[in-house]
Amino acid sequence: MKLGLFIILFVIIFGGSYIVTNKLNGTSAYVDETAQLVKDNQDDVVSRLEAKEQGMYYSGFPTCPWCVELLPVLDKELQADHGKAYTVDVRGKHYSDADNAIVKKFSQTYTKEDKLYVPFVVAINSSGDVKVHVGMVDDHDATKDKMTKDQEQRLVKILDKMITFSQSFYEKAFLFFSSYSYIKFFIEEFYSSI
């Protein structure tokens, strides 16, 4: 009986102190599935990434302090921009060695790094063009401090540009239609039909 009470008391004290400490430090939970953060079949998401299908992609894992801090910011910006991002838990039980090889190769191609660093955010537009972002902002160490307002604002700008890029399907058309070649083509076609 005394042992049972001791165990319950131990759980309450240490569990409560863990919760209070995280609240005081501003630590949030790892949430990679919301209305904007889509947790789909990992193989399917990795296949979409490899095929350069238009969209936003996020890779990370629950014990990564940078990932824990980035996700709420990404989620908020996606919500504001009416966007979605596919999420990949690179340490999850459904993440295979084959998935890892594909994501690592993709990362190496666009970051020129030997390893896959997370959080790894990818934006792909309708033309298959790719932009990537690794980590948070250069002067932030999530193992030591919470982001400052300035750091968060810089991260928001980076993520907003990526979201806009991933949603742009008129980008190439605009460049073509605003170019001299198109104007010359249009004039030649117009005069040849008269």
Side-chain angles (χ1 to χ4, degrees):
M1 177 81 174
K2 287 184 181 182
L3 180 62
L5 286 173
F6 177 74
I7 291 172
I8 291 171
L9 186 59
F10 180 81
V11 169
I12 290 171
I13 290 172
F14 286 101
S17 66
Y18 174 79
I19 292 169
V20 168
T21 301
N22 283 342
K23 291 291 182 196
L24 291 175
N25 289 339
T27 306
S28 53
Y30 182 84
V31 180
D32 65 347
E33 186 172 14
T34 66
Q36 293 71 237
L37 298 171
V38 180
K39 192 171 188 93
D40 210 347
N41 177 297
Q42 299 292 270
D43 293 336
D44 292 345
V45 174
V46 170
S47 293
R48 285 186 203 119
L49 179 68
E50 183 180 35
K52 295 185 188 176
E53 287 186 22
Q54 182 177 5
M56 290 288 295
Y57 299 85
Y58 158 86
S59 297
F61 58 92
T63 57
C64 162
W66 293 271
C67 302
V68 170
E69 271 197 276
L70 180 130
L71 277 171
V73 178
L74 177 60
D75 186 51
K76 182 179 174 185
E77 295 314 306
L78 286 165
Q79 185 176 21
D81 294 335
H82 307 288
K84 294 195 181 304
Y86 293 103
T87 63
V88 175
D89 180 351
V90 298
R91 297 216 178 140
K93 63 182 177 182
H94 300 292
Y95 185 72
S96 68
D97 289 342
D99 292 337
N100 189 56
I102 293 167
V103 174
K104 184 178 176 184
K105 181 180 177 190
F106 195 93
S107 170
Q108 289 171 333
T109 300
Y110 293 99
T111 66
K112 307 301 182 216
E113 297 286 346
D114 291 339
K115 295 180 180 180
L116 170 63
Y117 291 100
V118 295
F120 180 51
V121 181
V122 178
I124 303 174
N125 69 11
S126 63
S127 300
D129 298 322
V130 177
K131 290 192 179 201
V132 299
H133 179 72
V134 179
M136 304 285 283
V137 290
D138 290 338
D139 60 341
H140 176 60
D141 183 350
T143 63
K144 295 179 181 175
D145 296 310
K146 190 172 168 47
M147 273 191 299
T148 65
K149 292 286 184 194
D150 175 64
Q151 290 168 331
E152 187 173 346
Q153 288 173 347
R154 286 185 282 140
L155 180 61
V156 164
K157 285 181 183 179
I158 292 165
L159 294 174
D160 274 341
K161 285 180 182 177
M162 292 184 75
I163 293 166
T164 300
F165 176 81
S166 74
Q167 294 172 339
S168 66
F169 48 86
Y170 294 111
E171 180 183 71
K172 295 272 184 186
F174 175 77
L175 291 174
F176 173 74
F177 289 120
S178 63
S179 71
Y180 174 75
S181 300
Y182 175 73
I183 295 168
K184 182 179 173 190
F185 170 78
F186 180 78
I187 292 170
E188 290 173 355
E189 287 298 311
F190 177 78
Y191 283 112
S192 67
S193 65
I194 298 179

